[in-house]
């Protein structure tokens, strides 16, 4: 994969604005690990190699097990590996990411709202939206994953 452009350098103000949202979320109502888990699942759905690589590393650093990491794509079939909160976040991330297919049904909203306060659900949805935007940049401009750059 050959990188097309470095969008962070070509449009630094836009990148800084996205970075400000990222920083705000990191100081928000949700644990970093939960947000990173949602980021990874969103990136898997969107096929962003750069983000999958980055968020996998972000999850492994503080101690997420490899066994849990490899089950993220099939979290719904992983039994009790994921907590109720993690499962709710992953389900919400999937339905919001696939909004054109799902229209985010009332049942999905009710399930997420049962687990998260309004503030946490809003923060999670900001995080999902941000990662979907970053994925579109990563895929469109072929951002090179760290592992590929080292190979």
């Amino acid at each position: 994969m050959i990188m097309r452009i470095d969008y962070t350098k070509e449009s630094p103000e836009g990148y800084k604005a996205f970075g400000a949202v990222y920083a705000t979320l990191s100081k928000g109502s949700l644990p970093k690990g939960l947000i990173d888990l949602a980021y990874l699942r969103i990136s898997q759905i969107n096929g962003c190699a750069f983000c999958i690589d980055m968020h996998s590393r972000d999850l492994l650093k503080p101690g997420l097990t490899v066994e849990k990491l490899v089950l993220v794509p099939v979290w719904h079939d992983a039994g009790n590996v994921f907590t109720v909160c993690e499962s709710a976040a992953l389900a919400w991330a999937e339905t919001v990411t696939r909004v054109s297919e799902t229209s985010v049904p009332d049942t999905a909203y009710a399930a997420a709202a049962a687990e998260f306060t309004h503030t946490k659900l809003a923060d999670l949805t900001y995080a999902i939206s941000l990662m979907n935007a970053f994925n579109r940049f990563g895929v469109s401009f072929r951002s090179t994953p760290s592992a590929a750059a080292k190979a």
Side-chain angles (χ1 to χ4, degrees):
M1 173 171 57
I2 298 173
M3 188 169 172
R4 292 175 173 167
I5 67 170
D6 183 347
Y7 65 91
T8 66
K9 290 190 173 105
E10 297 301 326
S11 183
E13 292 306 312
Y15 182 68
K16 285 179 194 172
F18 278 33
V21 174
Y22 183 87
T24 298
L25 290 167
S26 70
K27 296 179 277 183
S29 66
L30 297 168
K32 182 180 180 337
L34 185 69
I35 293 173
D36 285 337
L37 201 59
Y39 285 165
L40 176 60
R41 183 65 191 121
I42 294 158
S43 299
Q44 290 169 338
I45 291 167
N46 291 325
C48 183
F50 177 85
C51 293
I52 291 168
D53 181 69
M54 178 174 59
H55 298 300
S56 294
R57 293 171 192 280
D58 288 346
L59 286 160
L60 289 169
K61 274 183 222 169
L64 185 79
T65 65
V66 172
E67 292 81 8
K68 189 169 185 173
L69 181 72
V70 299
L71 291 174
V72 170
V74 292
W75 63 270
H76 42 79
D77 291 327
N80 293 328
V81 171
F82 296 92
T83 67
V84 171
C85 183
E86 290 168 337
S87 294
L90 290 167
W92 187 246
E94 286 185 1
T95 197
V96 172
T97 295
R98 294 180 170 132
V99 66
S100 68
E101 300 165 26
T102 69
S103 298
V104 188
D106 290 341
T107 54
Y109 173 77
E115 186 60 35
F116 299 105
T117 65
H118 288 172
T119 299
K120 288 181 179 184
L121 190 54
D123 285 349
L124 180 58
T125 307
Y126 275 117
I128 293 164
S129 301
L130 178 68
M131 190 47 50
N132 273 287
F134 271 129
N135 287 168
R136 276 138 183 83
F137 281 95
V139 172
S140 297
F141 298 126
R142 306 290 191 259
S143 297
T144 306
S146 177
K150 293 176 186 175

